Amino acid sequence: MAISSDSIIRCHQKIFAKHPILELENGVFRIAVGARGVSCSTRKLRSKARVGVRPLAEASVEGLKNFEGDLDFGLDAAAERELTEKGFSGMRKTKLVCTIGPACCSLEDLERLARGGMNVARLNMCHNTKEWHRDVIRKIKRLNDEKGFCVSVMIDTEGSQIHVVDHGAPSSLKAEEGSVWVFTAQKFEGSRPFTVRANYEGFSEGIMVGDELIIDGGMASFQVVERMGNDLRCKCTDPGLLLPRAKLSFWRNGKLSYQGQPTISEKDWEDIDFGISEGVDFVAVSFVNDAEPVKHLKNYLSTKASKSIRVLAKIESLESLQKLEEIVEASDGIMVARGDLGVEVPLEQIPAVQEAITDICRQLNKPVIIASQLLESMVEYPTPTRAEVADVSEAVRQYADAMMLSGESAIGSYGEKALSVLRMVSGRMELQSREENRQNALHQCHLGDSLLDCISEEICNSAVEMANKLGIDAIFVYTKHGEMASLLSRNRPNPPIFAFTDDTDARMALTLQWGVIPILTDLSDDMESNISKTIDLIKSKGMMKEGDAVLIVSDLTPACATRTAFQSIQVKTIV
């Protein structure tokens, strides 16, 4: 959908009046969150009569037609089971992302995660070889093809951040308070006591005695006590673990003192080319500080990739917050990397920052993933802390599109249990939001530029309002590239959104959209035929019952009709 620059400016003026995320005062990041009113306006559908609403066209609703013959019905196997067992109202809306690592990389482990609700599999290119990643990607594609899952694949670039090299030491080293360590870029075999090797030869350039060294967003802290050529002697001031590939950041007087290399490194480009060759669905770019790297990568993918690959920008620095508006506009989605972000933003402000980013992404119709340390304790323990459950609940309450497991699934012993915690908490909080009618407090800004885009946007806004007020059981959207499914999701409706598309790339992209169940199926120019076929098939599988009401919208344009004449809202009850 094209976006008017004027409407975006007006929209952002409203958003940033509520979330002034660019305000810095005395080096402190400040953010204000306005109060939200909640109104109640909902009722169950009182009549089983079929209703048709067609703007700019004559309303016309026909009875359901019988469909004879088989239909290739690409509904995710896990979603199908959930629908069969729990019905429309019990379907989870918040999407779940799992980082794949040595603890969950077998075909059996991946299948268990897929059955447990994994929508997106994330591969961190910081770890393992390309051969390892290739094997995992092909296992996921095999599960999709043979078991009927719809799990998309995301690669996450390493970025130009300085990190610890895995040079043969144990999987983790414990730094005790007061111990002195040497940080070096020198290459050596095996491991040395109290020595940490950095991946970048110039890592110590500009670093001064007294600077603070933070490991992995706060896993451990050191103070630089001596420079020895290009090496640094550092004293541990806050004990913790030094994990392989841990990120290093240097601070001076409360500010980041090392800005790093270009956003997308040479290794990143190699990994991106690898992702293109393996047909991944998303590329997450680390340490994005402005929109240019995102634009550059999207242009590169458009010329090099044979399929559509979406670009997600990771928000993990103060610079990215200061240019959040342009980054969100340029990207296809956002990941809130709270671990690194928490180093640069005062800890007490992280919840408000998270909510502001989530709200802006929803307003601008870009999916947002909440990542880092959601269930960190479950790396080692089978149950989460109550504080972690509260954190997860808050992400769901804020209507984030997705939540992500990192070490919990990649290296933890309880990855499946961690995934089940996300699934259960999501379901409970989504039910509470529906009971409180919290979606009525959501406000939208206009994104459409052309009249046709504005019509699509208003149809989706009205469709969701109608669905909520009438107590509709499900929304069916028939879409070519997923635009209207995304616009429906933006409104966070009570019923689930079933997005029928014949575009494989659109289907995989929609795995990250809140509340959308993408279904790959053949679509024709005959809209009533599409509706009848899909409804009859869902009925035949026992996933719909008599009296269920579905609201139907579409952005498909038959060859014999103009787009404005075809866009419509219909409501059908199942007989």
Side-chain angles (χ1 to χ4, degrees):
M1 172 180 288
I3 298 177
S4 163
S5 59
D6 290 340
S7 65
I8 284 292
I9 291 173
R10 291 193 297 271
C11 173
H12 289 170
Q13 288 173 341
K14 295 178 181 179
I15 293 174
F16 286 97
K18 179 180 177 182
H19 298 301
I21 64 170
L22 304 184
E23 181 183 349
L24 284 169
E25 182 177 321
N26 298 327
V28 178
F29 185 77
R30 300 188 181 279
I31 193 163
V33 180
R36 295 182 176 182
V38 177
S39 60
C40 178
S41 177
T42 183
R43 64 179 183 272
K44 290 298 294 179
L45 188 66
R46 298 181 183 277
S47 171
K48 293 186 178 180
R50 301 183 183 95
V51 182
V53 182
R54 291 180 184 266
L56 304 184
E58 182 179 354
S60 172
V61 179
E62 302 176 4
L64 295 176
K65 301 177 182 178
N66 293 325
F67 171 69
E68 295 180 0
D70 294 329
L71 181 67
D72 182 16
F73 193 60
L75 175 62
D76 176 75
E80 180 176 342
R81 186 179 67 177
E82 186 177 40
L83 177 57
T84 302
E85 294 177 353
K86 300 181 180 180
F88 291 120
S89 63
M91 299 201 72
R92 169 176 49 86
K93 310 293 182 58
T94 308
K95 299 304 178 70
L96 306 179
V97 184
C98 295
T99 301
I100 308 303
C104 62
C105 62
S106 72
L107 186 65
E108 294 75 19
D109 290 332
L110 292 169
E111 181 174 352
R112 283 192 287 268
L113 290 176
R115 292 194 183 281
M118 174 176 65
N119 303 110
V120 181
R122 169 185 176 251
L123 298 174
N124 188 345
M125 303 308 290
C126 289
H127 304 285
N128 300 308
T129 64
K130 286 185 175 61
E131 289 71 24
W132 184 91
H133 290 295
R134 180 180 292 109
D135 179 63
V136 171
I137 292 172
R138 295 184 179 182
K139 286 175 181 174
I140 294 170
K141 291 180 180 292
R142 177 182 168 187
L143 288 172
N144 288 344
D145 293 338
E146 298 180 2
K147 300 289 187 177
F149 294 109
C150 181
V151 177
S152 58
V153 177
M154 172 197 301
I155 62 170
D156 193 333
T157 65
E158 180 176 324
S160 298
Q161 182 78 355
I162 307 170
H163 60 76
V164 174
V165 173
D166 183 6
H167 50 70
S171 59
S172 63
L173 299 173
K174 180 67 179 295
E176 301 290 351
E177 185 174 3
S179 60
V180 177
W181 294 68
V182 174
F183 288 79
T184 180
Q186 296 179 24
K187 297 180 180 179
F188 53 85
E189 296 295 328
S191 60
R192 296 178 183 175
F194 298 100
T195 303
V196 176
R197 182 181 156 200
N199 69 313
Y200 174 50
E201 291 185 1
F203 82 100
S204 63
E205 294 177 5
I207 303 304
M208 300 171 57
V209 172
D211 286 351
E212 187 178 17
L213 169 57
I214 304 295
I215 307 295
D216 253 358
M219 290 293 289
S221 301
F222 295 81
Q223 185 177 41
V224 178
V225 296
E226 183 183 359
R227 286 186 59 96
M228 303 181 299
N230 294 326
D231 297 345
L232 300 175
R233 290 183 72 244
C234 302
K235 182 178 180 180
C236 180
T237 56
D238 194 2
L241 294 178
L242 293 166
L243 299 173
R245 314 294 289 184
K247 297 173 185 176
L248 312 181
S249 58
F250 292 93
W251 290 76
R252 183 180 304 151
N253 298 325
K255 296 182 180 179
L256 194 66
S257 60
Y258 179 82
Q259 301 303 318
Q261 300 167 278
T263 300
I264 304 179
S265 67
E266 291 185 12
K267 179 184 181 300
D268 292 338
W269 285 115
E270 293 176 1
D271 291 337
I272 289 166
D273 286 336
F274 165 79
I276 293 173
S277 68
E278 292 299 318
V280 302
D281 305 293
F282 300 97
V283 175
V285 184
S286 297
F287 300 100
V288 174
N289 291 328
D290 56 59
E292 288 309 311
V294 176
K295 295 177 181 177
H296 181 41
L297 177 55
K298 291 182 70 173
N299 289 334
Y300 182 82
L301 292 172
S302 67
T303 59
K304 297 291 185 180
S306 59
K307 60 165 290 182
S308 177
I309 300 177
R310 271 63 175 186
V311 176
L312 307 181
K314 295 175 67 176
I315 303 300
E316 47 195 333
S317 68
L318 189 59
E319 288 84 355
S320 64
L321 289 173
Q322 292 169 335
K323 297 184 179 180
L324 180 63
E325 175 181 359
E326 65 178 60
I327 294 173
V328 174
E329 288 180 13
S331 69
D332 298 310
I334 294 295
M335 182 188 296
V336 186
R338 303 181 303 174
D340 290 287
L341 187 60
V343 178
E344 302 197 28
V345 176
L347 292 175
E348 70 275 12
Q349 296 184 17
I350 290 295
V353 171
Q354 173 181 307
E355 183 170 18
I357 297 172
T358 301
D359 187 54
I360 290 170
C361 288
R362 188 189 58 78
Q363 289 277 6
L364 299 183
N365 202 27
K366 302 294 177 73
V368 57
I369 304 170
I370 303 302
S372 304
Q373 303 169 337
L374 281 170
L375 299 172
E376 187 75 13
S377 69
M378 293 193 73
V379 172
E380 299 183 44
Y381 301 103
T383 56
T385 67
R386 286 10 177 202
E388 288 170 337
V389 172
D391 181 36
V392 171
S393 299
E394 179 63 11
V396 178
R397 189 195 68 80
Q398 292 174 3
Y399 287 118
D401 289 88
M403 296 182 293
M404 190 179 91
L405 296 175
S406 298
E408 301 96 327
S409 56
I411 61 174
S413 301
Y414 307 99
E416 290 178 60
K417 287 188 176 181
L419 184 62
S420 70
V421 170
L422 293 187
R423 187 177 67 247
M424 290 186 294
V425 174
S426 296
R428 180 65 190 89
M429 288 305 299
E430 289 164 5
L431 175 61
Q432 181 174 325
S433 292
R434 291 197 296 272
E435 291 173 346
E436 295 175 350
N437 298 306
R438 289 195 59 255
Q439 76 287 337
N440 288 341
L442 299 177
H443 301 287
Q444 313 293 4
C445 59
H446 294 289
L447 301 177
D449 184 14
S450 68
L451 175 61
L452 297 183
D453 288 336
C454 289
I455 291 172
S456 295
E457 190 176 331
E458 290 302 325
I459 284 177
C460 290
N461 294 346
S462 300
V464 170
E465 183 178 2
M466 179 184 296
N468 290 343
K469 287 184 177 180
L470 296 179
I472 294 295
D473 295 291
I475 298 175
F476 284 9
V477 55
Y478 299 82
T479 177
K480 182 63 179 177
H481 300 297
E483 288 92 343
M484 289 194 80
S486 180
L487 286 170
L488 289 166
S489 170
R490 175 182 180 234
N491 286 272
R492 303 303 193 248
N494 287 335
I497 304 163
F498 290 80
F500 299 93
T501 181
D502 56 9
D503 186 303
T504 302
D505 294 348
R507 180 200 188 200
M508 302 313 289
L510 289 172
T511 58
L512 204 50
Q513 298 273 180
W514 187 96
V516 176
I517 298 94
I519 300 174
L520 186 67
T521 187
D522 293 329
L523 298 174
S524 70
D525 285 346
D526 185 345
M527 192 59 214
E528 290 300 327
S529 174
N530 291 331
I531 296 171
S532 297
K533 288 189 296 186
T534 51
I535 288 181
D536 284 355
L537 190 69
I538 292 179
K539 284 174 60 181
S540 71
K541 288 179 172 288
M543 293 182 287
M544 297 181 73
K545 62 182 185 297
E546 181 179 347
D548 283 345
V550 296
L551 184 146
I552 298 166
V553 297
S554 172
D555 61 18
L556 301 180
T557 306
C560 60
T562 63
R563 182 179 173 190
T564 51
F566 189 73
Q567 290 175 327
S568 66
I569 301 175
Q570 300 182 41
V571 176
K572 291 181 181 289
T573 54
I574 306 306
V575 294

